[in-house]
Amino acid sequence: MALLQGKTALITGAARGIGKAIALKFAAEGANIAFTDLVIDENGQQTEKEIAALGVKVKGYASNAADFAQTEEVVNQIKADFGSIDILVNNAGITKDGLMLRMTEQQWDAVIAVNLKSAFNFIHACTPIMMRQRGGSIINMSSVVGVHGNAGQCNYSASKAGLIALAKSIAQEMGAKGIRANAIAPGFIETAMTAALPEDIRKEWVQKIPLRRGGTVDDIANTALYLASDLSSYVSGQVIQVDGGMNM
């Protein structure tokens, strides 16, 4: 039997990249998929088609994850459309890098709002549903820089560290209700964003990784599948670094 058969997964920021890979992985294991993005453009429509081809129910929703009221509205709509929300993946995120002394207030606020506040918004809206269902899995997409920090990314690092602490706190608050919360901290993952980096930077990154390669979006999706499914039924409040051993 498929690992997520009959479950409904809500994944934020999933029109492309890691979020899309997680959605496809979950769908292949039988989950119905609701996903959000700021707009559902051609990328979002293509994602819908690819997921639908796997034989599950799917719908993309245009929503600003950083907006509390919009999040409450879209979660209510997803509950009405799908009947349940069993898995929440807080994947929405942006970067606005810069050294701290040169960083603007807008750069700080934007990254904290999209990366961290959005997770609060969706957890706040989804946990009442999960509580009534007496179970659920919440997965926050953090980063290795949320564990170890990174020069030039104080806003991003702080937001990703916050996602880890948020998952641990929710795990403590909601464990008695059968709700688990964990975080994934990806390392250097091969995406369109990292592909645009200069070759010398890419080689420098790879040399720091014991496995001597960047990760793939499937590496992250496989970890998310483990945390979403009953394979991890006794795992909560944890952060799993998926980084090829880069940060031990």
mmCIF file of all heavy atoms in Angstrom, residues 104-134:
data_model
loop_
_atom_site.group_PDB
_atom_site.id
_atom_site.type_symbol
_atom_site.label_atom_id
_atom_site.label_comp_id
_atom_site.label_asym_id
_atom_site.label_seq_id
_atom_site.Cartn_x
_atom_site.Cartn_y
_atom_site.Cartn_z
ATOM 1 N N THR A 104 19.049 46.347 4.536
ATOM 2 C CA THR A 104 17.990 47.299 4.838
ATOM 3 C C THR A 104 16.930 46.649 5.722
ATOM 4 O O THR A 104 16.817 45.415 5.791
ATOM 5 C CB THR A 104 17.322 47.810 3.563
ATOM 6 O OG1 THR A 104 16.642 46.709 2.914
ATOM 7 C CG2 THR A 104 18.349 48.407 2.597
ATOM 8 N N GLU A 105 16.162 47.477 6.371
ATOM 9 C CA GLU A 105 15.048 46.967 7.167
ATOM 10 C C GLU A 105 14.080 46.188 6.292
ATOM 11 O O GLU A 105 13.543 45.151 6.704
ATOM 12 C CB GLU A 105 14.333 48.129 7.851
ATOM 13 C CG GLU A 105 13.173 47.682 8.732
ATOM 14 C CD GLU A 105 12.414 48.839 9.357
ATOM 15 O OE1 GLU A 105 12.559 49.981 8.865
ATOM 16 O OE2 GLU A 105 11.670 48.604 10.320
ATOM 17 N N GLN A 106 13.863 46.646 5.069
ATOM 18 C CA GLN A 106 12.945 45.960 4.148
ATOM 19 C C GLN A 106 13.451 44.554 3.819
ATOM 20 O O GLN A 106 12.660 43.597 3.767
ATOM 21 C CB GLN A 106 12.780 46.789 2.868
ATOM 22 C CG GLN A 106 11.750 46.249 1.885
ATOM 23 C CD GLN A 106 12.294 45.150 0.970
ATOM 24 O OE1 GLN A 106 13.486 45.130 0.677
ATOM 25 N NE2 GLN A 106 11.421 44.262 0.522
ATOM 26 N N GLN A 107 14.763 44.416 3.605
ATOM 27 C CA GLN A 107 15.326 43.097 3.308
ATOM 28 C C GLN A 107 15.140 42.141 4.490
ATOM 29 O O GLN A 107 14.828 40.968 4.311
ATOM 30 C CB GLN A 107 16.817 43.222 2.971
ATOM 31 C CG GLN A 107 17.102 43.838 1.610
ATOM 32 C CD GLN A 107 18.586 44.057 1.390
ATOM 33 O OE1 GLN A 107 19.267 44.683 2.206
ATOM 34 N NE2 GLN A 107 19.111 43.530 0.302
ATOM 35 N N TRP A 108 15.351 42.661 5.686
ATOM 36 C CA TRP A 108 15.157 41.843 6.885
ATOM 37 C C TRP A 108 13.691 41.435 7.028
ATOM 38 O O TRP A 108 13.365 40.260 7.183
ATOM 39 C CB TRP A 108 15.636 42.599 8.121
ATOM 40 C CG TRP A 108 15.332 41.876 9.403
ATOM 41 C CD1 TRP A 108 14.191 41.969 10.148
ATOM 42 C CD2 TRP A 108 16.156 40.910 10.059
ATOM 43 N NE1 TRP A 108 14.267 41.143 11.242
ATOM 44 C CE2 TRP A 108 15.455 40.478 11.210
ATOM 45 C CE3 TRP A 108 17.427 40.385 9.802
ATOM 46 C CZ2 TRP A 108 15.985 39.536 12.088
ATOM 47 C CZ3 TRP A 108 17.949 39.445 10.680
ATOM 48 C CH2 TRP A 108 17.240 39.025 11.805
ATOM 49 N N ASP A 109 12.800 42.419 6.990
ATOM 50 C CA ASP A 109 11.377 42.172 7.239
ATOM 51 C C ASP A 109 10.777 41.226 6.205
ATOM 52 O O ASP A 109 9.973 40.351 6.544
ATOM 53 C CB ASP A 109 10.600 43.487 7.245
ATOM 54 C CG ASP A 109 10.861 44.320 8.490
ATOM 55 O OD1 ASP A 109 11.460 43.792 9.448
ATOM 56 O OD2 ASP A 109 10.471 45.504 8.512
ATOM 57 N N ALA A 110 11.167 41.402 4.932
ATOM 58 C CA ALA A 110 10.594 40.576 3.866
ATOM 59 C C ALA A 110 10.948 39.106 4.057
ATOM 60 O O ALA A 110 10.089 38.220 3.928
ATOM 61 C CB ALA A 110 11.073 41.059 2.501
ATOM 62 N N VAL A 111 12.198 38.817 4.376
ATOM 63 C CA VAL A 111 12.636 37.424 4.538
ATOM 64 C C VAL A 111 12.014 36.795 5.785
ATOM 65 O O VAL A 111 11.556 35.642 5.738
ATOM 66 C CB VAL A 111 14.179 37.349 4.580
ATOM 67 C CG1 VAL A 111 14.653 35.960 5.006
ATOM 68 C CG2 VAL A 111 14.751 37.701 3.209
ATOM 69 N N ILE A 112 11.969 37.528 6.880
ATOM 70 C CA ILE A 112 11.344 36.991 8.096
ATOM 71 C C ILE A 112 9.858 36.725 7.859
ATOM 72 O O ILE A 112 9.308 35.713 8.309
ATOM 73 C CB ILE A 112 11.547 37.948 9.282
ATOM 74 C CG1 ILE A 112 13.042 38.093 9.622
ATOM 75 C CG2 ILE A 112 10.758 37.469 10.501
ATOM 76 C CD1 ILE A 112 13.720 36.807 10.042
ATOM 77 N N ALA A 113 9.202 37.625 7.142
ATOM 78 C CA ALA A 113 7.759 37.472 6.904
ATOM 79 C C ALA A 113 7.455 36.257 6.038
ATOM 80 O O ALA A 113 6.580 35.444 6.355
ATOM 81 C CB ALA A 113 7.200 38.737 6.256
ATOM 82 N N VAL A 114 8.180 36.119 4.927
ATOM 83 C CA VAL A 114 7.888 35.021 3.997
ATOM 84 C C VAL A 114 8.376 33.685 4.532
ATOM 85 O O VAL A 114 7.691 32.665 4.410
ATOM 86 C CB VAL A 114 8.508 35.304 2.607
ATOM 87 C CG1 VAL A 114 8.308 34.104 1.674
ATOM 88 C CG2 VAL A 114 7.894 36.551 1.989
ATOM 89 N N ASN A 115 9.548 33.667 5.134
ATOM 90 C CA ASN A 115 10.140 32.393 5.541
ATOM 91 C C ASN A 115 9.646 31.890 6.895
ATOM 92 O O ASN A 115 9.464 30.688 7.084
ATOM 93 C CB ASN A 115 11.663 32.522 5.614
ATOM 94 C CG ASN A 115 12.297 32.793 4.269
ATOM 95 O OD1 ASN A 115 11.610 33.052 3.286
ATOM 96 N ND2 ASN A 115 13.611 32.759 4.215
ATOM 97 N N LEU A 116 9.448 32.819 7.840
ATOM 98 C CA LEU A 116 9.117 32.399 9.204
ATOM 99 C C LEU A 116 7.672 32.680 9.591
ATOM 100 O O LEU A 116 6.966 31.792 10.081
ATOM 101 C CB LEU A 116 10.076 33.079 10.191
ATOM 102 C CG LEU A 116 9.912 32.722 11.677
ATOM 103 C CD1 LEU A 116 9.997 31.222 11.907
ATOM 104 C CD2 LEU A 116 10.966 33.460 12.507
ATOM 105 N N LYS A 117 7.219 33.899 9.363
ATOM 106 C CA LYS A 117 5.840 34.212 9.741
ATOM 107 C C LYS A 117 4.847 33.350 8.970
ATOM 108 O O LYS A 117 3.804 32.952 9.506
ATOM 109 C CB LYS A 117 5.540 35.694 9.501
ATOM 110 C CG LYS A 117 4.170 36.086 10.058
ATOM 111 C CD LYS A 117 3.751 37.479 9.668
ATOM 112 C CE LYS A 117 2.331 37.726 10.189
ATOM 113 N NZ LYS A 117 1.563 38.608 9.338
ATOM 114 N N SER A 118 5.170 33.036 7.720
ATOM 115 C CA SER A 118 4.271 32.203 6.920
ATOM 116 C C SER A 118 4.049 30.845 7.572
ATOM 117 O O SER A 118 2.948 30.300 7.546
ATOM 118 C CB SER A 118 4.819 32.012 5.506
ATOM 119 O OG SER A 118 6.017 31.252 5.525
ATOM 120 N N ALA A 119 5.112 30.287 8.173
ATOM 121 C CA ALA A 119 4.975 28.989 8.840
ATOM 122 C C ALA A 119 4.054 29.105 10.045
ATOM 123 O O ALA A 119 3.210 28.237 10.289
ATOM 124 C CB ALA A 119 6.351 28.467 9.254
ATOM 125 N N PHE A 120 4.213 30.180 10.817
ATOM 126 C CA PHE A 120 3.286 30.430 11.926
ATOM 127 C C PHE A 120 1.862 30.529 11.402
ATOM 128 O O PHE A 120 0.932 29.936 11.974
ATOM 129 C CB PHE A 120 3.661 31.724 12.655
ATOM 130 C CG PHE A 120 2.555 32.247 13.541
ATOM 131 C CD1 PHE A 120 2.283 31.663 14.762
ATOM 132 C CD2 PHE A 120 1.764 33.311 13.126
ATOM 133 C CE1 PHE A 120 1.245 32.134 15.570
ATOM 134 C CE2 PHE A 120 0.728 33.793 13.920
ATOM 135 C CZ PHE A 120 0.472 33.203 15.142
ATOM 136 N N ASN A 121 1.667 31.284 10.315
ATOM 137 C CA ASN A 121 0.322 31.464 9.758
ATOM 138 C C ASN A 121 -0.328 30.128 9.431
ATOM 139 O O ASN A 121 -1.489 29.878 9.786
ATOM 140 C CB ASN A 121 0.395 32.326 8.486
ATOM 141 C CG ASN A 121 0.773 33.765 8.756
ATOM 142 O OD1 ASN A 121 0.714 34.245 9.891
ATOM 143 N ND2 ASN A 121 1.177 34.470 7.713
ATOM 144 N N PHE A 122 0.409 29.267 8.733
ATOM 145 C CA PHE A 122 -0.172 27.993 8.287
ATOM 146 C C PHE A 122 -0.335 27.005 9.437
ATOM 147 O O PHE A 122 -1.327 26.259 9.486
ATOM 148 C CB PHE A 122 0.656 27.397 7.147
ATOM 149 C CG PHE A 122 0.238 27.909 5.798
ATOM 150 C CD1 PHE A 122 0.836 29.043 5.274
ATOM 151 C CD2 PHE A 122 -0.763 27.298 5.080
ATOM 152 C CE1 PHE A 122 0.447 29.552 4.038
ATOM 153 C CE2 PHE A 122 -1.172 27.791 3.846
ATOM 154 C CZ PHE A 122 -0.566 28.923 3.323
ATOM 155 N N ILE A 123 0.608 26.984 10.371
ATOM 156 C CA ILE A 123 0.451 26.108 11.532
ATOM 157 C C ILE A 123 -0.750 26.552 12.357
ATOM 158 O O ILE A 123 -1.555 25.729 12.814
ATOM 159 C CB ILE A 123 1.739 26.102 12.379
ATOM 160 C CG1 ILE A 123 2.870 25.398 11.614
ATOM 161 C CG2 ILE A 123 1.503 25.400 13.720
ATOM 162 C CD1 ILE A 123 4.233 25.537 12.265
ATOM 163 N N HIS A 124 -0.900 27.850 12.543
ATOM 164 C CA HIS A 124 -2.022 28.391 13.312
ATOM 165 C C HIS A 124 -3.358 27.999 12.681
ATOM 166 O O HIS A 124 -4.323 27.682 13.388
ATOM 167 C CB HIS A 124 -1.888 29.918 13.375
ATOM 168 C CG HIS A 124 -2.845 30.586 14.318
ATOM 169 N ND1 HIS A 124 -4.131 30.926 13.965
ATOM 170 C CD2 HIS A 124 -2.697 30.979 15.616
ATOM 171 C CE1 HIS A 124 -4.735 31.503 14.986
ATOM 172 N NE2 HIS A 124 -3.903 31.543 16.007
ATOM 173 N N ALA A 125 -3.403 27.999 11.340
ATOM 174 C CA ALA A 125 -4.657 27.684 10.640
ATOM 175 C C ALA A 125 -4.911 26.184 10.545
ATOM 176 O O ALA A 125 -6.074 25.750 10.560
ATOM 177 C CB ALA A 125 -4.625 28.303 9.241
ATOM 178 N N CYS A 126 -3.842 25.392 10.466
ATOM 179 C CA CYS A 126 -4.013 23.956 10.223
ATOM 180 C C CYS A 126 -4.130 23.113 11.488
ATOM 181 O O CYS A 126 -4.766 22.050 11.470
ATOM 182 C CB CYS A 126 -2.847 23.420 9.387
ATOM 183 S SG CYS A 126 -2.857 23.959 7.660
ATOM 184 N N THR A 127 -3.505 23.545 12.583
ATOM 185 C CA THR A 127 -3.525 22.686 13.771
ATOM 186 C C THR A 127 -4.928 22.428 14.336
ATOM 187 O O THR A 127 -5.180 21.305 14.809
ATOM 188 C CB THR A 127 -2.596 23.238 14.878
ATOM 189 O OG1 THR A 127 -2.819 24.642 15.053
ATOM 190 C CG2 THR A 127 -1.154 22.990 14.526
ATOM 191 N N PRO A 128 -5.870 23.385 14.293
ATOM 192 C CA PRO A 128 -7.221 23.034 14.757
ATOM 193 C C PRO A 128 -7.839 21.890 13.955
ATOM 194 O O PRO A 128 -8.548 21.043 14.516
ATOM 195 C CB PRO A 128 -8.005 24.340 14.575
ATOM 196 C CG PRO A 128 -6.981 25.414 14.658
ATOM 197 C CD PRO A 128 -5.775 24.834 13.982
ATOM 198 N N ILE A 129 -7.563 21.867 12.653
ATOM 199 C CA ILE A 129 -8.067 20.785 11.802
ATOM 200 C C ILE A 129 -7.415 19.475 12.196
ATOM 201 O O ILE A 129 -8.076 18.439 12.359
ATOM 202 C CB ILE A 129 -7.787 21.112 10.317
ATOM 203 C CG1 ILE A 129 -8.538 22.375 9.899
ATOM 204 C CG2 ILE A 129 -8.173 19.927 9.416
ATOM 205 C CD1 ILE A 129 -8.125 22.929 8.543
ATOM 206 N N MET A 130 -6.088 19.488 12.375
ATOM 207 C CA MET A 130 -5.365 18.275 12.756
ATOM 208 C C MET A 130 -5.772 17.791 14.141
ATOM 209 O O MET A 130 -5.851 16.586 14.391
ATOM 210 C CB MET A 130 -3.851 18.534 12.701
ATOM 211 C CG MET A 130 -3.310 18.759 11.300
ATOM 212 S SD MET A 130 -1.514 19.067 11.314
ATOM 213 C CE MET A 130 -1.166 19.062 9.545
ATOM 214 N N MET A 131 -6.047 18.722 15.044
ATOM 215 C CA MET A 131 -6.471 18.337 16.394
ATOM 216 C C MET A 131 -7.792 17.584 16.346
ATOM 217 O O MET A 131 -7.967 16.574 17.057
ATOM 218 C CB MET A 131 -6.596 19.576 17.277
ATOM 219 C CG MET A 131 -5.267 20.190 17.689
ATOM 220 S SD MET A 131 -5.446 21.798 18.508
ATOM 221 C CE MET A 131 -6.292 21.327 20.009
ATOM 222 N N ARG A 132 -8.719 18.054 15.519
ATOM 223 C CA ARG A 132 -10.003 17.357 15.392
ATOM 224 C C ARG A 132 -9.821 15.980 14.771
ATOM 225 O O ARG A 132 -10.599 15.059 15.053
ATOM 226 C CB ARG A 132 -10.980 18.205 14.574
ATOM 227 C CG ARG A 132 -11.515 19.432 15.326
ATOM 228 C CD ARG A 132 -12.677 20.069 14.600
ATOM 229 N NE ARG A 132 -12.272 20.706 13.365
ATOM 230 C CZ ARG A 132 -11.848 21.965 13.261
ATOM 231 N NH1 ARG A 132 -11.747 22.727 14.348
ATOM 232 N NH2 ARG A 132 -11.510 22.471 12.092
ATOM 233 N N GLN A 133 -8.798 15.841 13.934
ATOM 234 C CA GLN A 133 -8.511 14.551 13.292
ATOM 235 C C GLN A 133 -7.672 13.637 14.199
ATOM 236 O O GLN A 133 -7.449 12.467 13.859
ATOM 237 C CB GLN A 133 -7.748 14.787 11.973
ATOM 238 C CG GLN A 133 -8.563 15.549 10.940
ATOM 239 C CD GLN A 133 -7.737 16.031 9.749
ATOM 240 O OE1 GLN A 133 -8.274 16.613 8.816
ATOM 241 N NE2 GLN A 133 -6.432 15.792 9.774
ATOM 242 N N ARG A 134 -7.184 14.207 15.324
ATOM 243 C CA ARG A 134 -6.336 13.491 16.267
ATOM 244 C C ARG A 134 -5.028 13.025 15.632
ATOM 245 O O ARG A 134 -4.504 11.950 15.944
ATOM 246 C CB ARG A 134 -7.070 12.294 16.884
ATOM 247 C CG ARG A 134 -8.306 12.644 17.683
ATOM 248 C CD ARG A 134 -7.979 13.452 18.911
ATOM 249 N NE ARG A 134 -7.102 12.757 19.846
ATOM 250 C CZ ARG A 134 -6.588 13.310 20.954
ATOM 251 N NH1 ARG A 134 -6.863 14.584 21.235
ATOM 252 N NH2 ARG A 134 -5.792 12.612 21.748
#
